[in-house]
Amino acid sequence: MVKENVSRDDIRALRIGQTGVFTLPNPKAVESARVQFSTMKRLEGMDFERVETGEPLTLAYKRLK
């Protein structure tokens, strides 16, 4: 999904076992999205596995818990 940024609501919408793929406009947005995933892990106890995409501006995370 092409997004300007990844919000906490986007992350909450991922069901367990689902992979979220986000294409972002620039490296700063990619870093911000990584921080959001880390924050959700810490604050809400979610667990994620990063999935390699091969694209520098595309992030993919699989929700494990």
Side-chain angles (χ1 to χ4, degrees):
M1 145 183 347
V2 177
K3 306 268 303 176
E4 286 296 314
N5 60 9
V6 177
S7 69
R8 290 182 185 184
D9 288 335
D10 293 330
I11 298 171
R12 283 185 191 107
L14 294 174
R15 296 183 311 271
I16 294 174
Q18 184 179 11
T19 301
V21 180
F22 304 95
T23 301
L24 301 161
N26 56 54
K28 185 176 179 181
V30 172
E31 183 60 28
S32 176
R34 287 184 183 142
V35 170
Q36 285 288 35
F37 276 94
S38 176
T39 300
M40 293 301 284
K41 183 175 183 174
R42 184 172 37 87
L43 292 179
E44 299 195 14
M46 296 177 167
D47 196 18
F48 302 95
E49 174 184 298
R50 182 149 185 245
V51 179
E52 189 59 45
T53 63
E55 300 284 327
L57 297 179
T58 301
L59 284 179
Y61 281 91
K62 181 177 182 179
R63 183 170 174 192
L64 302 176
K65 179 173 109 176

